Amino acid sequence: MYAEVIVDISHTQVDRVFEYRIPSEMEIRPGMRVKVPFGKMKDTEGIVIGIKEISDYEPDKIREIIEPLESFCALTEEQIHLAEFIQKKYNTTLAMALRFMLPAQVRGGRISAKTQRMARLILKGQELEQAERALLKKDGRPRSPKQMEVLTFLKHNGQMALRELNTSAVHALEKKGILEIVRAEIARLPFEKSVPRTRDYELTEKQKQILEAIRNGKQKRFLLHGVTGSGKTEIYIRVMRDCIAKGKTAILLVPEISLTPQTYLFLKQRFDEEIAVFHSGLSAGERFDEWMKVKRGKAKIVLGARSAIFAPLDDLGAVIIDEEHETSYKADNYPKYTAHEIAEERCRLSGALLILGSATPQIETYYKACRGEYELLKMPNRLFGLQLPAVEIVDMCGELKKGNRTAISGRLYEELEHTLSQKKQAMLFLNRRGYSTFVMCRSCGYVVKCGSCDVTMTYHKTQDILKCHYCGRTKVPETVCPICGKPHLKYFGTGTQQIEEQVRQMFPQARVLRMDLDTMTTKGAHLELFEDFAAHKADILIGTQMITKGFDFKNVTLSAVLAADTMLNIPDYRSAERTFCHITQIAGRAGRKEPGTVILQTYNPKHYAIQYAKYHDYEGFYREEIAMREMAQLPPFSTYVQIQFSGEREEQVVEAVKDFIRRLKAVLLPHKRGIISIRASEAAIKRIKDMERYHILIHLKNDEDLIGQIYQLFQKTRYGNVLTGIDINPVNMA
């Protein structure tokens, strides 16, 4: 028998199947990881993707598999097919695609199960009773209190870690044949907190209708468009419960790592079954143990961020993508896959349901639903008869005229005062962290920039440092301008730290929490903040986009967007869509259990995204946005392909761009009518981490074949020290 093996080397020259003879004493199955000889290298790892009886090569030229790396199949058959899809869809190597299916540290044997020495009783029943009596004196007192204590512990717990017991007593009992010392595997748990089981509540009529539509739907792809607080999560739970009842499994994706702790605890309240957690914030050991939990069939539900879509579940029954509009579902690194596309293919392979849920679906997703590619299910009302919160727009130009130069408008101040007096809570959203966004000399115009990136440095007052948010470089703030020597350096712009300071000054009695990348640095910080705010240990929560998603706090009656214009002014055709989404999502945090209010501060109150957000009118926003995109031939009516170039020497990067354009012309020439525009330029942030950055932006009519040809050109073109990347409809257009 012969094994078809993909060696774990992601290079186009070895991106093919290699055949190896299977030794007669060895049991090898598709999906197993194996050690194989390869070329002049030392032994390398590979993955078996097929077995055949007859080889295409002469027997004396075929080498043997050295050994399997595990006794089980690391990959399922479905995962192998999924990797082949990724290889073709994103024009990457099969080895690279297969790596998505495995914890990174499994490769190379860098991680394994954690074990510890345990004491375990050998004797049972009457034999144990006799041994216990032998440990007592005639008067009934123990001959050795320590040994009796260990024996009592083990009778109640079965086995215990050796480090938790008296070592000499354990060894004495071991010599007497009462217990044994073994090495046992222990799980590294992402969350160790236990929660009480809660009952299901009665579904509303609308929820029942939605659930029946999913159960009886003719197609298996659904877009669940429900306003914030409409009960979408309850639909997810019932769908997952249906899967388990049928002996199937389910995946629930959430957009942020910060949402996994409370979602996990919420699911644990409703399910007796094991739940595995997959996301990049886990330690290597935790990631391995969660993966093994799924491989062993112990977990029927997988919860996680983007990477959870690759979980090795068998008999997949449903994939649910919550907050499907979030850009975090697109990978940051090459190949830049999207969780939606992977989920669609995985559901096609397994016959599973695909459910996309959002209060503000992506324009492209809603467009597909309107065309019938998804079954559109609407939940237009909140539960329990609650109304969506009233949104009040505050024109910040008027605040400047009044002499108010803080980020808190007079109207917001009044609402905060009222909220605190009512013993309720508020959430304030600003998508800028730090204290001040840049430092400038008022005498000569000098701006403090990062030495490695072409961006201004942000001042962080709590640490009294300037920090680059792209490379992490820091420096001590200067007191005089290094150019003109005058002490006229001033801090401009407002970040979450400054908002926190202003709020504390305005409301010294208020308890304030801040949630951004600077405060969420330790493990468990997300869950701790969530629990503290839910328990009303704080009155006001200030944060970046971390706080706009998924949070459900019963006492929050006020939410505010402090600067909607920061999103509107981004040079991207999706800036209006993202503004509408962020406003709607933060507005959705208020009034989930009683009437709420939303304050929307902006310098552009007439913009259509602002106006539609005021009335929670997604349908109206969609109609205006899709009409504009069709007229301008923007996605979904066209496709952008971005080719990225970066290198330490600018002249090398520029030469690479020029050469690629020459090659690109030959590919595009037969497709002139399909080309809308081509533009080569510096990236908006020209330098990051000492790397000069340029890109080519190709705007095409929708043409999968042409996109494939551009991918192929990209794959076979290399430029030495110049790094390249490719992205379809990139999240960041600049």
Side-chain angles (χ1 to χ4, degrees):
M1 301 295 288
Y2 300 91
E4 297 176 307
V5 175
I6 297 294
V7 293
D8 190 18
I9 301 171
S10 185
H11 195 288
T12 52
Q13 291 185 355
V14 293
D15 187 29
R16 63 183 181 86
V17 172
F18 293 88
E19 291 184 11
Y20 288 88
R21 184 183 296 108
I22 302 173
S24 56
E25 73 280 3
M26 200 178 288
E27 183 182 350
I28 299 294
R29 303 186 302 279
M32 293 183 79
R33 297 192 319 122
V34 292
K35 185 185 290 184
V36 293
F38 188 75
K40 297 179 181 179
M41 300 169 54
K42 291 183 178 180
D43 307 336
T44 192
E45 294 179 7
I47 294 175
V48 178
I49 64 167
I51 304 290
K52 59 196 303 187
E53 293 184 5
I54 300 172
S55 174
D56 297 331
Y57 303 95
E58 296 178 17
D60 59 337
K61 292 184 178 180
I62 302 177
R63 303 161 86 176
E64 283 193 344
I65 290 175
I66 298 169
E67 62 178 348
L69 293 170
E70 293 98 10
S71 59
F72 58 87
C73 294
L75 271 64
T76 64
E77 183 180 355
E78 181 187 302
Q79 285 180 301
I80 293 172
H81 291 314
L82 189 62
E84 291 168 344
F85 165 80
I86 293 170
Q87 177 195 27
K88 184 177 179 181
K89 176 73 176 177
Y90 303 105
N91 218 68
T92 187
T93 64
L94 189 52
M96 176 63 79
L98 289 165
R99 288 177 186 176
F100 285 124
M101 315 296 162
L102 297 165
Q105 289 77 11
V106 167
R107 298 171 44 240
R110 290 172 287 164
I111 195 71
S112 58
K114 183 180 180 181
T115 61
Q116 67 177 6
R117 297 176 75 201
M118 307 284 286
R120 183 172 66 192
L121 287 175
I122 298 173
L123 301 181
K124 296 179 180 179
Q126 291 184 350
E127 290 182 335
L128 181 59
E129 290 177 8
Q130 290 174 3
E132 194 171 6
R133 284 195 295 270
L135 292 176
L136 300 175
K137 296 178 181 179
K138 289 182 180 180
D139 61 4
R141 289 182 300 158
R143 297 178 188 278
S144 168
K146 293 293 183 185
Q147 290 181 34
M148 185 58 72
E149 184 181 71
V150 169
L151 185 59
T152 303
F153 281 152
L154 293 179
K155 282 177 66 177
H156 285 94
N157 297 287
Q159 64 178 19
M160 289 184 68
L162 204 61
R163 57 183 170 78
E164 296 177 8
L165 302 169
N166 182 284
T167 308
S168 59
V170 169
H171 287 305
L173 293 172
E174 183 186 28
K175 287 180 181 179
K176 293 173 182 175
I178 296 174
L179 59 77
E180 62 179 346
I181 298 172
V182 296
R183 291 209 74 87
E185 190 174 314
I186 58 170
R188 291 157 284 204
L189 300 174
F191 312 112
E192 297 188 36
K193 185 172 181 176
S194 60
V195 290
R197 188 82 156 75
T198 59
R199 292 184 188 178
D200 290 347
Y201 72 80
E202 180 69 23
L203 295 180
T204 65
E205 285 304 312
K206 187 61 179 178
Q207 286 175 320
K208 289 177 183 177
Q209 291 171 15
I210 295 291
L211 195 56
E212 284 306 305
I214 291 171
R215 287 169 174 167
N216 303 320
K218 293 182 180 178
Q219 61 170 310
K220 293 191 170 186
R221 301 197 302 174
F222 302 90
L223 172 59
L224 183 54
H225 178 211
V227 299
T228 55
S230 59
K232 296 187 292 296
T233 305
E234 196 61 34
I235 300 296
Y236 304 157
I237 286 172
R238 303 304 171 102
V239 169
M240 290 189 284
R241 193 163 285 159
D242 284 353
C243 291
I244 291 170
K246 295 174 184 175
K248 293 183 176 291
T249 58
I251 296 173
L252 172 59
L253 299 186
V254 292
E256 291 272 358
I257 292 172
S258 61
L259 289 176
T260 54
Q262 67 263 28
T263 307
Y264 174 81
L265 295 178
F266 180 73
L267 293 180
K268 286 298 290 181
Q269 290 179 324
R270 306 292 295 278
F271 288 95
D272 294 323
E273 290 76 17
E274 284 277 352
I275 299 166
V277 178
F278 280 47
H279 61 69
S280 59
L282 302 180
S283 69
E286 289 168 346
R287 205 172 306 170
F288 175 81
D289 287 352
E290 294 297 289
W291 181 75
M292 284 300 298
K293 189 193 293 185
V294 177
K295 286 301 304 176
R296 290 168 176 164
K298 290 183 177 179
K300 300 299 182 184
I301 296 171
V302 168
L303 164 71
R306 184 178 62 227
S307 61
I309 193 60
F310 301 111
L313 288 166
D314 289 314
D315 300 314
L316 186 63
V319 175
I320 301 164
I321 304 181
D322 191 26
E323 309 287 9
E324 74 85 28
H325 61 277
E326 286 293 337
T327 57
S328 55
Y329 284 122
K330 182 156 189 173
D332 303 315
N333 301 318
Y334 179 75
K336 295 193 174 185
Y337 70 88
T338 63
H340 297 63
E341 291 173 338
I342 304 298
E344 285 191 11
E345 177 62 14
R346 186 149 193 195
C347 290
R348 188 192 68 80
L349 290 167
S350 62
L353 297 174
L354 174 62
I355 300 173
L356 309 178
S358 176
T360 54
Q362 292 181 77
I363 294 296
E364 290 88 343
T365 304
Y366 205 80
Y367 178 73
K368 287 180 178 179
C370 292
R371 288 163 56 94
E373 294 180 44
Y374 299 111
E375 187 171 337
L376 180 59
L377 305 173
K378 296 183 180 182
M379 301 176 73
N381 300 310
R382 281 189 159 181
L383 294 173
F384 316 120
L386 285 168
Q387 298 299 309
L388 288 164
V391 178
E392 185 175 337
I393 297 174
V394 176
D395 187 347
M396 294 302 283
C397 294
E399 292 295 308
L400 281 175
K401 291 175 183 176
K402 294 174 186 175
N404 180 8
R405 298 191 177 277
T406 71
I408 308 295
S409 66
R411 187 70 189 91
L412 178 55
Y413 181 91
E414 291 171 3
E415 283 297 330
L416 282 168
E417 202 169 39
H418 176 72
T419 301
L420 294 172
S421 70
Q422 297 296 308
K423 307 297 183 187
K424 299 300 180 181
Q425 293 173 291
M427 296 175 69
L428 309 182
F429 165 68
L430 178 68
N431 214 22
R432 289 198 203 107
R433 61 190 176 105
Y435 187 85
S436 296
T437 50
F438 68 99
V439 182
M440 186 178 76
C441 175
R442 287 176 293 172
S443 293
C444 68
Y446 163 75
V447 176
V448 181
K449 286 192 173 184
C450 174
S452 300
C453 309
D454 189 23
V455 293
T456 58
M457 299 190 83
T458 301
Y459 179 58
H460 289 249
K461 189 174 183 180
T462 53
Q463 300 164 286
D464 193 29
I465 59 169
L466 291 165
K467 183 185 290 186
C468 174
H469 288 172
Y470 284 84
C471 70
R473 185 171 180 168
T474 61
K475 66 183 291 187
V476 177
E478 295 162 311
T479 55
V480 297
C481 176
I483 303 301
C484 69
K486 294 180 181 178
H488 294 161
L489 290 172
K490 182 173 173 58
Y491 296 86
F492 292 88
T494 304
T496 48
Q497 281 186 17
Q498 190 172 154
I499 296 299
E500 181 183 10
E501 182 180 275
Q502 290 179 11
V503 169
R504 288 185 185 278
Q505 289 172 352
M506 292 175 179
F507 305 100
Q509 79 283 11
R511 298 164 296 173
V512 182
L513 287 175
R514 176 163 54 88
M515 187 179 194
D516 54 30
L517 285 176
D518 300 315
T519 59
M520 299 292 104
T521 55
T522 58
K523 185 174 181 180
H526 297 100
L527 183 56
E528 184 179 347
L529 183 142
F530 171 79
E531 291 181 329
D532 284 350
F533 198 63
H536 207 154
K537 292 180 180 179
D539 305 301
I540 300 172
L541 175 60
I542 299 164
T544 56
Q545 62 182 8
M546 285 183 178
I547 71 169
T548 65
K549 316 173 189 78
F551 287 126
D552 188 352
F553 300 114
K554 64 181 181 181
N555 285 316
V556 173
T557 57
L558 172 65
S559 63
V561 179
L562 300 186
D565 309 276
T566 58
M567 297 167 284
L568 270 180
N569 295 327
I570 296 171
D572 191 311
Y573 70 90
R574 285 165 296 204
S575 61
E577 178 185 359
R578 289 176 183 165
T579 299
F580 179 86
C581 287
H582 275 105
I583 294 170
T584 303
Q585 292 294 332
I586 191 63
R589 301 313 110 207
R592 296 177 77 94
K593 295 295 183 289
E594 56 185 286
T597 301
V598 180
I599 300 295
L600 174 53
Q601 299 184 166
T602 178
Y603 288 94
N604 197 353
K606 301 292 186 185
H607 194 282
Y608 69 96
I610 304 283
Q611 286 296 317
Y612 283 118
K614 176 181 179 179
Y615 298 104
H616 307 279
D617 186 2
Y618 177 85
E619 299 279 355
F621 173 77
Y622 170 78
R623 286 193 296 271
E624 184 153 345
E625 181 73 11
I626 201 72
M628 182 272 293
R629 291 197 189 185
E630 185 173 21
M631 183 174 62
Q633 282 295 286
L634 295 169
F637 303 100
S638 63
T639 303
Y640 281 103
V641 181
Q642 187 185 60
I643 315 292
Q644 303 140 348
F645 301 80
S646 60
E648 293 181 358
R649 296 176 58 186
E650 185 172 9
E651 63 273 18
Q652 289 182 341
V653 179
V654 171
E655 279 305 312
V657 172
K658 288 179 179 177
D659 179 75
F660 194 87
I661 286 179
R662 284 194 293 270
R663 296 168 184 260
L664 187 63
K665 284 179 179 178
V667 172
L668 299 181
L669 194 60
H671 304 271
K672 278 185 178 180
R673 292 183 179 178
I675 312 299
I676 298 172
S677 67
I678 304 174
R679 178 169 59 88
S681 66
E682 299 174 352
I685 301 174
K686 187 170 176 288
R687 185 164 50 95
I688 294 179
K689 296 181 181 179
D690 291 319
M691 300 289 276
E692 302 292 334
R693 304 168 68 244
Y694 283 73
H695 66 210
I696 300 169
L697 193 62
I698 312 160
H699 191 189
L700 311 167
K701 293 179 181 177
N702 292 327
D703 186 335
E704 287 290 329
D705 179 58
L706 181 53
I707 293 169
Q709 290 181 47
I710 296 171
Y711 256 127
Q712 289 170 19
L713 173 64
F714 170 79
Q715 275 285 69
K716 64 186 181 184
T717 309
R718 293 291 178 267
Y719 294 105
N721 294 328
V722 177
L723 301 177
T724 56
I726 186 169
D727 197 1
I728 307 299
N729 290 331
V731 169
N732 181 8
M733 296 287 292

